[in-house]
Amino acid sequence: MDLLSVHLDETISTPLYEQLYEFIKQEIVEERLPYGQKLPSKRKLANHLEVSQNTVETAFEQLVAEGYITSRPRKGFYVLAHGDLEFVEHSIKKEGPKFEKEPAILFDLSPNKIDTEAFPFSQWRRLNRQVIDEANHDLLLLGDPKGDKELREAIAHYVYHARGIDCDPDTIVVGAGIEVLMQQLLSLLPGSTVFGIEDPGYQLMVKLITHFGFLGRALGMSEEGVSIEAVRLLEPDYIYVTPSNHFPYGTVTSISRRNQLLQWVNEAENRFIIEDDYDSEFRYVGKTIPPMKKMDFNDRVIYLGSFSKSLIPSLRISYMILPKKLLEQYRNRLSFHHSTVSRIDQHVLARFIQEGYFEKHLNRMRKIYRRKFEFVQQLFEAYKPSIQLLGEQSGLHVVCEVRNGLTEEEIMKRAEQQKIKLYPISYYASKNAVVSHPQFVIGFAGMKEQEIEKAVQHLITIFQPQRYP
């Protein structure tokens, strides 16, 4: 039995026991320490390497735990057979010299980003510590399929005070994102159900509806919101709308159009409106627009809300307020479902709302996003009318219309050359949607003002008409 020749470096951050563990592990993986080989005793190896016996013991314990070696009482430690290891890496890729890679994309102007630097980490961390406590051991078990009562009550309180919706917490279903909630809703409906969807609009909704085998029909948009003429002509059973802040144009559905849609939905027994209250929290002029659900006296509106933009996308918590007729179907047919959201996250969010942190966070973010929105407007102001910003003063993006004779394809090619990721309106529209000039969705929320300024400078260059000598 030879003593192991390994150099342990005390000047690096990796602990000595971990260096020893990695060395022995690699010797076994590369079969330089064969099956049955006895390892030096902890005392002898510690003396040889001039380290404490605890260092060797910790390394050996980790190797035993992972199945690389075994301990035999009063005999010592022995290498296990190669085939006894569940998984070994037969080769370690040696890292070559690191070079600074030039970024593939300078600016990604996605409308789905948020300002992550303004997140209230200290409050969230404190609430996490409170929830992750031995007194709350029941949170380790499965909870209510619709979401824990504490969070549903907090959401009911929030939508009443912030959006004017008076609902029973029992009608609320919590899920890991709008798409998960929509999948549950779609599973309740007969296959013959026909959907009407805003065009342009939220394309994930189009994909979900068609994936489940339903017929989806595109509903054109006007300055007042979704076209009531299209709704009556195409005769859908359900319509999906974003009346408080249409995506992507930011159009606010007029009160008369809302009344027309509510009149339409009440004309037949099995019609419903799916109202996605997208980005309604971020309106920069006047008061926030009340949702259609508040006007829904006959219980025909399915209300969707999310904390992705108002808090953080990775939290993956959204909610759906079901009419009582659909709630009964949900109980009868989906009671076997488990909640798709961690109970710990649910309780942290519930406390975040109950203790007033969510309201404070929203107020702060409105100010931050309003300042960024106004800065974007200011930067584009000098380039009117060849570059025009469309839509209402709300949301976390603007729609930029380019009126300089260039096609969308030409602009996208220029953007690619300058490493700018653009999102043309065609990404969100059907082939039948017609726009007179190329339009692009420009997200600004995730950038600092210096980055916004640089990104807009690139865009101005990209949007300039071609000049010939």
Side-chain angles (χ1 to χ4, degrees):
M1 176 185 63
D2 297 327
L3 292 173
L4 300 174
S5 297
V6 53
H7 172 67
L8 302 181
D9 190 347
E10 295 182 349
T11 65
I12 63 175
S13 60
T14 305
L16 297 179
Y17 79 85
E18 190 174 331
Q19 295 180 48
L20 179 59
Y21 151 79
E22 288 288 352
F23 173 80
I24 298 175
K25 170 186 168 183
Q26 195 57 33
E27 292 293 289
I28 294 172
V29 168
E30 299 293 342
E31 299 183 356
R32 288 188 287 270
L33 283 175
Y35 165 64
Q37 172 77 50
K38 184 179 180 181
L39 297 181
S41 70
K42 291 180 286 187
R43 181 180 58 80
K44 286 184 178 179
L45 188 55
N47 291 336
H48 173 67
L49 298 176
E50 297 181 347
V51 296
S52 72
Q53 194 167 319
N54 283 339
T55 297
V56 178
E57 185 173 2
T58 303
F60 279 14
E61 285 176 352
Q62 185 64 29
L63 291 164
V64 170
E66 295 184 13
Y68 288 98
I69 64 176
T70 184
S71 174
R72 297 177 186 172
R74 295 186 296 278
K75 290 187 177 180
F77 293 88
Y78 292 82
V79 176
L80 281 176
H82 189 273
D84 291 341
L85 302 180
E86 290 186 7
F87 171 77
V88 294
E89 295 178 355
H90 292 281
S91 62
I92 301 292
K93 292 183 179 179
K94 294 183 178 179
E95 292 187 3
K98 293 184 178 180
F99 300 98
E100 285 292 327
K101 288 187 176 180
E102 191 176 350
I105 296 175
L106 286 177
F107 296 105
D108 182 351
L109 302 179
S110 168
N112 297 322
K113 295 186 176 183
I114 65 164
D115 188 322
T116 57
E117 294 191 0
F119 182 74
F121 284 101
S122 58
Q123 290 94 334
W124 194 264
R125 186 164 48 244
R126 182 177 62 80
L127 294 175
N128 253 296
R129 286 198 299 266
Q130 292 177 6
V131 170
I132 304 175
D133 186 89
E134 290 181 359
N136 297 326
H137 56 83
D138 61 304
L139 295 183
L140 303 180
L141 305 175
L142 294 171
D144 191 310
K146 298 203 308 298
D148 279 17
K149 182 181 178 182
E150 291 82 353
L151 178 56
R152 288 186 285 111
E153 288 180 341
I155 291 172
H157 178 83
Y158 166 69
V159 296
Y160 176 73
H161 287 89
R163 307 297 289 136
I165 298 172
D166 188 3
C167 72
D168 186 334
D170 195 47
T171 63
I172 297 175
V173 179
V174 175
I178 293 294
E179 59 271 29
V180 169
L181 294 170
M182 276 299 298
Q183 288 177 52
Q184 293 181 359
L185 175 63
L186 294 173
S187 68
L188 300 175
L189 307 181
S192 59
T193 304
V194 177
F195 284 84
I197 311 162
E198 294 172 330
D199 183 30
Y202 189 29
Q203 286 303 295
L204 177 60
M205 207 57 60
V206 177
K207 292 176 182 177
L208 271 175
I209 288 167
T210 55
H211 175 75
F212 272 77
F214 295 104
L215 178 61
R217 292 173 173 166
L219 304 175
M221 298 296 296
S222 72
E223 292 182 356
E224 288 194 77
V226 68
S227 167
I228 188 65
E229 293 79 14
V231 171
R232 293 199 173 280
L233 177 66
L234 299 175
E235 298 184 332
D237 304 299
Y238 283 62
I239 60 171
Y240 170 84
V241 292
T242 53
S244 294
N245 182 24
H246 166 259
F247 181 83
Y249 285 124
T251 305
V252 176
T253 301
S254 68
I255 189 68
S256 62
R257 183 57 47 84
R258 292 173 190 235
N259 284 325
Q260 289 172 333
L261 293 173
L262 288 169
Q263 180 182 341
W264 165 83
V265 79
N266 285 296
E267 290 173 359
E269 184 65 26
N270 293 316
R271 287 178 180 173
F272 287 90
I273 294 172
I274 302 171
E275 177 182 18
D276 188 343
D277 210 12
Y278 172 81
D279 271 7
S280 63
E281 301 90 350
F282 301 115
R283 182 166 179 78
Y284 310 127
V285 175
K287 294 182 179 180
T288 56
I289 307 301
M292 291 179 66
K293 183 66 178 173
K294 184 179 179 181
M295 306 164 61
D296 176 31
F297 301 113
N298 294 316
D299 209 20
R300 292 300 189 86
V301 175
I302 302 159
Y303 181 87
L304 299 176
S306 174
F307 294 96
S308 291
K309 293 288 188 68
S310 57
L311 204 53
I312 44 174
S314 61
L315 187 61
R316 302 301 297 151
I317 298 184
S318 298
Y319 54 95
M320 171 171 64
I321 303 176
L322 286 174
K324 288 183 170 58
K325 180 178 179 180
L326 292 174
L327 180 64
E328 192 62 33
Q329 292 185 46
Y330 183 94
R331 286 172 176 157
N332 293 336
R333 297 173 58 183
L334 295 180
S335 59
F336 64 91
H337 274 228
H338 296 304
S339 177
T340 53
V341 180
S342 157
R343 293 188 70 200
I344 292 173
D345 288 342
Q346 289 186 56
H347 281 256
V348 173
L349 178 57
R351 294 189 184 201
F352 192 77
I353 297 172
Q354 291 162 354
E355 297 184 20
Y357 293 121
F358 183 54
E359 183 180 1
K360 292 177 183 176
H361 178 67
L362 279 181
N363 290 336
R364 183 186 181 198
M365 297 314 298
R366 282 192 197 100
K367 293 176 183 177
I368 290 173
Y369 291 143
R370 181 190 292 115
R371 186 170 64 247
K372 291 183 179 183
F373 176 82
E374 291 172 349
F375 188 53
V376 171
Q377 285 188 313
Q378 175 188 335
L379 291 172
F380 278 112
E381 183 68 27
Y383 299 93
K384 289 180 179 180
S386 60
I387 302 174
Q388 192 77 26
L389 297 186
L390 308 179
E392 298 287 332
Q393 297 198 10
S394 61
L396 307 186
H397 68 267
V398 296
V399 175
C400 189
E401 183 173 83
V402 184
R403 305 172 180 177
N404 60 7
L406 292 173
T407 66
E408 178 185 296
E409 185 179 359
E410 289 170 331
I411 292 173
M412 291 296 289
K413 188 174 181 180
R414 286 186 177 188
E416 184 180 358
Q417 291 170 346
Q418 293 204 31
K419 300 179 181 178
I420 308 296
K421 189 167 184 181
L422 279 180
Y423 296 80
I425 210 75
S426 60
Y427 283 9
Y428 312 102
S430 70
K431 293 180 180 179
N432 296 325
V434 178
V435 293
S436 54
H437 303 280
Q439 297 173 356
F440 301 89
V441 176
I442 310 295
F444 58 80
M447 295 187 288
K448 299 176 183 177
E449 289 193 4
Q450 303 94 311
E451 294 172 322
I452 292 174
E453 185 170 14
K454 290 179 181 178
V456 170
Q457 288 171 356
H458 280 278
L459 289 176
I460 298 303
T461 304
I462 291 167
F463 294 159
Q464 288 298 316
Q466 184 71 52
R467 290 184 172 84
Y468 298 96

